[in-house]
Amino acid sequence: MEKALIESSRNIAIHIAILWVPNMRILKMQPKFLDKFLESLEKFGALYGPVHRNGVMKYDRIESVSELDLSGHQLPMIPVKKLFNPKQFTMLHFNEKGFYPDYSMIEKRVIIGVHPCEIHGVLRLDEIFLNDPADPYYAGLRDNSAIIGFSCWPTESSLCKSAGTDIVDEGFDLFFMNLNEFYLVWVGSSRGYDMIHEREEFFEQEVSHEDMRKYIEWRNKRNEVFKLEIDFGSMPDIMELSHNSEVWDYFAEKCLSCGQCTMVCPTCNCYNVSDVFDVTNETTGRRERTWDSCMFVDYSLVAGGHNFRESRADRLKLWYTHKLKTFGSEYGRPGCIGCGRCVDTCPVDINVVTVSQALISGEVPKE
Ligand code: SF4
Ligand code: SF4
């Protein structure tokens, strides 16, 4: 009983904290207005969101809001990072006189249905790409994209509660909390206010104590669903102590160096650039930027043929040290936002859960 009271007071405290975030406001909307409201957002840019295409859930441009899957029960396979740091694009064109940046991919967009952990992922990328000097491609895409967050429900692989990313209080223009009977809608930016003003008649200004109680109940129920847990707070020390652990060799034996874990991880951001010359004129061409992966054997290959991380164990150690230790030392928050994609994706069961469990126990997993 005492524990329940403490938990309940904590939830109320968190809720009040959310309400008191400067410039943030909370409204209420009936579900029957949702589609019409989302359609009205076309005025702010091309609409994107989670859709099912060829059997895969992905973030994509939509023609109609009826295409969207806003149930919150599944995450798109490739995170929303691909809309800010595209998998491949042309950075610039060059000729004998100089070079000309290509910003043609930057357009006004509204990205609907972004889960809280994904918004935290974008905030982590901001730390990297918007630090002085800012990456103009990322900055352009970020400035021109509105984010409409939606609440979600944990999957078998979700770790967001452990990572503290199951709620979000910044990084969105609007955030819709789906409580089935109604939505609570947080407004997080002046662009969010402009969106609300488009269809003010859909929103109720008063949120009652009873509405709040339903929200807290929903959160308590959701908190019981999580199956996986990681003590992220202790991982930096565990990583420090595990440099020579046999655990790395165990996982290295299994790893296929396929790089899938890095492609699906919302905070992975490595890329490569290459110049592509025109076949008819060797002085003109374009510079392409493409995602890269520190799991690939040639990632750390440098001139002269030296490879800093030729072994798979070293590459795995780099990835997990970055996620669980060094990103936090630099930016104050772990490099893992707990989305669970590595859990769902790695074909040989190497992921943030299996690796951290093995490192904490100091023993290789039993086959
Ligand atoms: S850890 Fe898994 S997903 Fe990542 S490179 Fe190795 S086999 Fe591929
Ligand atoms: S390490 Fe795994 S769970 Fe963490 S953010 Fe990356 S893909 Fe998601």
Side-chain angles (χ1 to χ4, degrees), residues 95-130:
N95 59 30
E96 61 278 4
K97 292 190 188 133
F99 68 90
Y100 313 92
D102 183 342
Y103 297 121
S104 59
M105 66 170 171
I106 297 172
E107 58 168 352
K108 290 261 177 224
R109 299 179 305 193
V110 179
I111 308 169
I112 302 166
V114 187
H115 293 196
C117 69
E118 290 266 63
I119 297 174
H120 280 276
V122 174
L123 293 171
R124 302 286 205 279
L125 293 182
D126 287 353
E127 306 268 20
I128 296 155
F129 287 114
L130 299 182

Side-chain angles (χ1 to χ4, degrees), residues 84-227:
F84 300 106
N85 177 33
K87 246 183 284 182
Q88 182 170 26
F89 65 92
T90 300
M91 297 174 74
L92 54 89
H93 301 269
F94 57 82
N95 59 30
E96 61 278 4
K97 292 190 188 133
F99 68 90
Y100 313 92
D102 183 342
Y103 297 121
S104 59
M105 66 170 171
I106 297 172
E107 58 168 352
K108 290 261 177 224
R109 299 179 305 193
V110 179
I111 308 169
I112 302 166
V114 187
H115 293 196
C117 69
E118 290 266 63
I119 297 174
H120 280 276
V122 174
L123 293 171
R124 302 286 205 279
L125 293 182
D126 287 353
E127 306 268 20
I128 296 155
F129 287 114
L130 299 182
N131 247 333
D132 196 25
D135 176 335
Y137 305 96
Y138 181 90
L141 288 168
R142 192 77 171 87
D143 284 348
N144 285 283
S145 301
I147 292 184
I148 312 297
F150 267 74
S151 57
C152 53
W153 200 250
T155 68
E156 298 268 314
S157 317
S158 296
L159 290 152
C160 50
K161 189 160 165 266
S162 298
T165 58
D166 56 321
I167 55 168
V168 66
D169 59 18
E170 59 174 328
F172 56 82
D173 295 279
L174 296 174
F175 189 90
F176 284 73
M177 176 68 63
N178 182 0
L179 298 178
N180 294 324
E181 295 166 50
F182 58 87
Y183 288 97
L184 289 181
V185 185
W186 275 264
V187 189
S189 71
S190 54
R191 183 164 47 194
Y193 280 108
D194 291 344
M195 290 170 163
I196 296 287
H197 287 146
E198 280 299 308
R199 301 305 298 259
E200 254 168 342
E201 68 277 19
F202 291 162
F203 295 90
E204 296 164 42
Q205 307 289 325
E206 295 301 322
V207 175
S208 69
H209 194 271
E210 179 60 12
D211 297 333
M212 209 62 67
R213 194 187 57 72
K214 284 184 177 152
Y215 166 53
I216 293 166
E217 254 176 36
W218 178 89
R219 281 198 53 193
N220 287 342
K221 208 165 136 201
R222 189 196 59 168
N223 285 349
E224 287 166 13
V225 179
F226 289 94
K227 293 203 161 66

Side-chain angles (χ1 to χ4, degrees), residues 6 77 109 162 267 300 333:
I6 292 168
M77 185 194 283
R109 299 179 305 193
S162 298
T267 62
S300 299
R333 296 180 282 195

Side-chain angles (χ1 to χ4, degrees), residues 283-330:
T283 59
T284 66
R286 63 187 193 279
R287 178 161 295 175
E288 295 280 318
R289 178 161 141 180
T290 317
W291 283 2
D292 201 352
S293 168
C294 60
M295 290 295 178
F296 295 157
V297 68
D298 58 357
Y299 179 82
S300 299
L301 184 66
V302 294
H306 186 69
N307 193 331
F308 293 105
R309 291 186 193 88
E310 200 163 12
S311 80
R312 286 195 298 269
D314 281 348
R315 298 200 292 277
L316 280 167
K317 211 182 291 180
L318 171 77
W319 201 71
Y320 283 101
T321 305
H322 191 233
K323 296 287 162 205
L324 300 172
K325 180 171 180 282
T326 48
F327 193 98
S329 320
E330 200 164 351

